[in-house]
Structures are given as C-alpha cells and as structure tokens.
Amino acid sequence: MTRKATVRKERIIRDDRLGFRLDEQTKGLIERAAQLERRKISDYCLTAIAEAARRTIAEHETLHLSERDRTAFFDALIHPPEPSERLARALADHSRRVGA
C-alpha cells in the first residue's frame, strides 16, 4: 500500500474526536516532545495515549505470579485435587436444575 493510500485510509478511519484542556506548561512539554520526534502534535499525542492505554489494559489483564504461586498453579492443573463433598453436591444440584 502506498503512503497516499495509507494516509487516505487513516483519514477515513479517524472519524471520532477526543478533546481536552491542558495547562500551558503541559502543552509546551508536549509540543517540545513532538518537535524532537519531528511529528505533528496530534500524531504524537495519539500515539502516546494509545501506548498508555495498551499498557494500562495489559497491566489489568495480565496475571503476575511468583515462582511459588506459578508452581502451585501448574501443580493443581496437572494433579487436580478431588472435589470436596460440598462441590459434588453443588454440581449435582446444578445438573438437576439445568438438566445437563
């Protein structure tokens, strides 16, 4: 895909807007960073916000286990414990209600 086709495609996709106010110091900081990367301010902001959003989502959707916890987790998967009496009753009750 050519550069022009890519730009046209981006223009079609970028229909939504996001607006916010910021103080002069923060605006200057963003302008300087965009200038250092030789990018437009809007492109710089869009990229920075998208990266921050991806990091936030990853932090909330990723489970970090210690080595001890990881070992216990995989051990439970490989050698699952026998169901307790309470769990067996709950499963039997569920099967009666749902009919599965």
Side-chain angles (χ1 to χ4, degrees):
M1 189 178 291
T2 67
R3 171 94 172 114
K4 284 185 178 182
T6 303
V7 170
R8 283 189 197 125
K9 187 176 181 182
E10 286 180 9
R11 287 184 184 147
I12 293 170
I13 293 171
R14 291 183 181 180
D15 289 336
D16 294 332
R17 296 182 66 83
L18 180 65
F20 48 89
R21 298 193 178 278
L22 59 156
D23 60 82
E24 190 175 324
Q25 183 179 4
T26 303
K27 183 181 179 195
L29 185 69
I30 294 168
E31 288 172 337
R32 182 169 180 229
Q35 183 181 20
L36 289 169
E37 291 197 1
R38 293 187 167 100
R39 295 165 63 189
K40 293 181 179 180
I41 295 171
S42 59
D43 180 52
Y44 178 84
C45 290
L46 179 62
T47 303
I49 290 170
E51 287 175 9
R54 285 186 196 95
R55 267 194 318 274
T56 298
I57 291 167
E59 287 172 7
H60 287 274
E61 291 182 346
T62 303
L63 179 63
H64 298 281
L65 298 174
S66 68
E67 187 60 38
R68 186 181 121 248
D69 292 339
R70 189 177 306 118
T71 300
F73 175 77
F74 284 111
D75 186 53
L77 286 177
I78 295 168
H79 306 102
E82 291 294 321
S84 68
E85 185 179 319
R86 183 176 177 191
L87 179 59
R89 282 194 319 263
L91 181 58
D93 187 43
H94 173 74
S95 295
R96 280 193 302 275
R97 291 175 188 221
V98 175

